[in-house]
Amino acid sequence: MSVEGCRVLPSADCHLLLDALQAKGYCVIGPTLRDEAVVWDTITRVSDLPIGWRDRQEPGRYRLERTGTGEIFGVVHGPQSLKPFAFAPRESLLQIERTSNGWSIHPLFPKPEKIALLGARPCDVAGLAIQDQIFLRGPYRDPPYASRRENLFVIVVNCTRALSTCFCSSMKTGPRAQTGFDLALTELDDVLLIEAGSEAGKAILTALPMSPASEALLAKASKRIDACAESQTRLQEQEVLPQALYDAHDHQRWDEVASRCLACTNCTMVCPTCFCHTVEDRPALDGQHGERTRLWDSCFTHEHGYIHGKNIRPTIKDRYRMWLTHKFAAWHDQFGMSGCVGCGRCITWCPVGIDVREEVAALLASDGHSAARRSGSP
Amino acid sequence: MSFVEGQRKPRLGVFKFASCDGCQLSVLNLEDELLLLGAALDIAYFPEASSRMEPGPYDLALVEGSITTEEDEHRIKAVREQAKVLMTIGACATAGGIQALRNWADIGSYKQCVYPRPDFIRTLATSTSIADHVKVDYELRGCPIDKDQLLRVVTDLLAGVRPRIPADSVCLECKRRGNVCVVVAKGMPCLGPVTSGGCGAICPSMGRDCYGCFGPAEGMAKGVGYPPNTASLAKQFHDRLGLIPIDVVRRFRGINGAAASFRRESEAWAVKRTNSEGS
Ligand code: SF4
Ligand code: SF4
Ligand code: SF4
Ligand code: SF4
């Protein structure tokens, strides 16, 4: 956060930000209260935001509580990251028609509106950057993803409070956003500090009547964000993880976690970086046309491991090991980074509260397997 | 059209055993597609819908209901002999249905309670699935079945492709729909994680917990399926969501209570219950 770039908007004037976004043609989407959690939905006025609420998250449990303060971004996050806005859970890819001499195929393209996502977290932004790597890399640009992504304007809110499930500081993705946003906010009592991260962000800022942030305010923001990082449970050093996890392939901990895991797919559905999908063709009853749809899939399903007449991951143990090892080890080989941004969603939204941090720690501990002892672990 | 030779329309038969007729009604509820379905298939036997009742053989037999009488034990064999493809529809046919609760009770005392002349009632002591009696080619789960899933499978059969009947957890559909999980946010004992999808996660979408009407999620239709991890979910219900053992028993002993993995789980908790009461 640079002194020159950072400006102050009184929280009471938050509506001016909404006005400016709406004036630029954005549909503003932000956290809203629904079904005892926060979910992304349209924000037409500031009161649509969960003002005066906070979330408490722990393994397998999510609860909201009212604080009665004027805090606008007191709820850290809900079940979904930004993922569904670029990588849709269900997307029609093409239509197929039978013709006199075969088939004709019509690709379908989404016609996304311009969306301003207000209240993303630094880990969410980092997750979106990983999705970009997957869907927009090199020659393999995914057209539906690209068109949705191009229409997103991201307003991140730096974290000043971590959940018990958060571990972004270990994954170096938060609690302060570094890149990948159009605007970044930090909420401090009754003011919002705002800085731009893109030209589009600057264009919004110029439309707002704001003063530059004082040194004192910036120092206060840094102090709170640092304290948020300090408060988190730490995960093992990133550098040692891949090899240590490969070495732990036969660790007995996999059996223990498999006895708890339901292979229900929730962890992968809420993970900001999971990108697996399946493709389904649906013919019409008359046999004259059909539609191809892409759906979110998961490495925890039976069919995911079903290849050429055989299931290569028949048991829950195979699947959990595949998931964890992919996130924290194979992802490095595949994409040159970790597949985890430390958002903690897989921990909260696991119906039986499996905590991936505990699993990693146990897998690196020495008692299960000879090769598991690594630098830094006890 | 793969499962019939030549140009003739495949002949459909719809058969009822012990059931409430709800699944057959789901067929009739395909209002928009019913005419197309009638055009694509020769509906030869469907007493619920038509007085035309032609003898077999049938290219596709849809079987609703469970086996609860000696007479039905014989009748299902006759249906099987007449059917090229036999597909069971609904929880009664695939798992014995809610009437399989009798499997844990004394049928004699049930008869006494319900009927003024129990001696008129000829019934078996158990309600069992169709697959317990004859070979079943495909199963459609649910109480009732999902009519779109039925349409989908019939369409696949007509198109000559292997029907795709996903047996992933309800959670997968629940999350695709953007629901908030009722276990995590409300502490409700949802059976979604161990239940087969296909319903589109209707119950969690209405803010309530899945009660397992699609039965256990057991891998896929073809190939070896593994039973779902009901033990872990049951433990969570008990240890963290505060269900006492009898509640856990009832959770698993519902519409699909006689399906193998749900039955094993409820029986394990029935033992725990007895033990805890005894101590
Ligand atoms: S693995 Fe878990 S903590 Fe890591 S990014 Fe995915 S959901 Fe978040
Ligand atoms: S993981 Fe970090 S960035 Fe994400 S919500 Fe928690 S504190 Fe914020
Ligand atoms: S780790 Fe938890 S959320 Fe993930 S599949 Fe297993 S039980 Fe489901
Ligand atoms: S509400 Fe039920 S079906 Fe939905 S994710 Fe939670 S456990 Fe699964």
Side-chain angles (χ1 to χ4, degrees), chain A residues 266 351, chain B residues 170-171 174-175 180-183 190-193 204 210:
Chain A
N266 275 304
Chain B
V170 177
C171 300
C174 192
K175 282 288 187 290
V180 173
C181 176
V182 303
V183 173
C190 184
L191 282 176
C210 163

Side-chain angles (χ1 to χ4, degrees), chain A residues 210-221:
Chain A
M210 294 190 302
S211 51
S214 68
E215 292 274 3
L217 268 182
L218 291 174
K220 191 167 162 189

Side-chain angles (χ1 to χ4, degrees), chain A residues 262 264-266 349 351, chain B residues 169-175 179-185 188-195 201 203-205 207-210 233 237:
Chain A
L262 309 165
C264 66
T265 78
N266 275 304
W349 298 99
Chain B
S169 68
V170 177
C171 300
L172 186 68
E173 295 179 340
C174 192
K175 282 288 187 290
N179 293 337
V180 173
C181 176
V182 303
V183 173
V184 174
M188 294 169 97
C190 184
L191 282 176
V194 296
T195 297
C203 294
S205 304
R208 58 158 298 169
D209 41 341
C210 163
L233 189 64
F237 287 174

Side-chain angles (χ1 to χ4, degrees), chain A residues 233-253:
Chain A
T233 316
R234 298 202 67 81
L235 193 78
Q236 274 71 12
E237 284 307 312
Q238 287 304 295
E239 295 66 37
V240 309
L241 269 182
Q243 193 53 48
L245 287 172
Y246 290 142
D247 288 346
H249 185 270
D250 299 317
H251 201 290
Q252 69 190 29
R253 184 73 184 193

Side-chain angles (χ1 to χ4, degrees), chain A residues 34 39 59 62-63 89 258-262 264 266 269-270 280-281 283-285 296 301-302 314 348-349 351, chain B residues 36-37 152 155 158 164 168-169 171-172 175-176 178 180 184-187 193 219-220 224 226 229 232-233 236 240:
Chain A
R34 195 194 82 197
V39 295
Y62 184 102
R63 290 294 181 276
S259 74
R260 297 177 61 205
C261 176
L262 309 165
C264 66
N266 275 304
M269 294 289 111
V270 297
E280 200 176 279
D281 285 338
L285 193 57
W296 282 1
T301 70
H302 192 78
T348 300
W349 298 99
Chain B
L36 271 177
L37 208 60
R152 175 67 198 269
T155 307
L158 288 170
R164 191 176 186 280
D168 306 324
S169 68
C171 300
L172 186 68
K175 282 288 187 290
R176 281 177 187 153
V180 173
V184 174
K186 299 187 196 166
M220 51 202 280
V224 187
Y226 278 80
N229 193 352
S232 172
L233 189 64
Q236 183 76 358
R240 286 200 65 201

